[in-house]
Amino acid sequence: MQVQRRLKANGLLMQELLADTGYSNGSNYFMLEQRGITGWIPVFGMYKPEIAGFPYDKDNDR
């Protein structure tokens, strides 16, 4: 709410929000939806360090 107030005071609008899995809960999703903000928050427990077909190249960090 503090960030939104500061942004609004400067003529800016929060349209999207990125957060880590620790913020993944119904209350946060509901609050974002009520304010028309797109939330980019991974669902808790759904993180996969490896995805089939997308191998990690450790030598090149990609």
Side-chain angles (χ1 to χ4, degrees):
M1 296 306 295
Q2 290 176 341
V3 171
Q4 281 187 297
R5 281 192 294 272
R6 279 191 223 132
L7 290 172
K8 189 174 182 179
N10 289 286
L12 300 170
L13 176 65
M14 182 185 296
Q15 298 173 323
E16 298 181 73
L17 179 117
L18 175 66
D20 67 28
T21 302
Y23 293 93
S24 175
N25 63 57
S27 297
N28 286 335
Y29 295 131
F30 180 74
M31 184 270 306
L32 293 170
E33 184 177 328
Q34 293 300 306
R35 288 168 174 76
I37 299 170
T38 301
W40 299 96
I41 308 171
V43 178
F44 186 74
M46 299 298 291
Y47 173 74
K48 297 178 183 177
E50 293 184 25
I51 300 172
F54 292 92
Y56 177 65
D57 178 355
K58 186 175 181 176
D59 294 336
N60 294 300
D61 191 27
R62 62 182 181 192

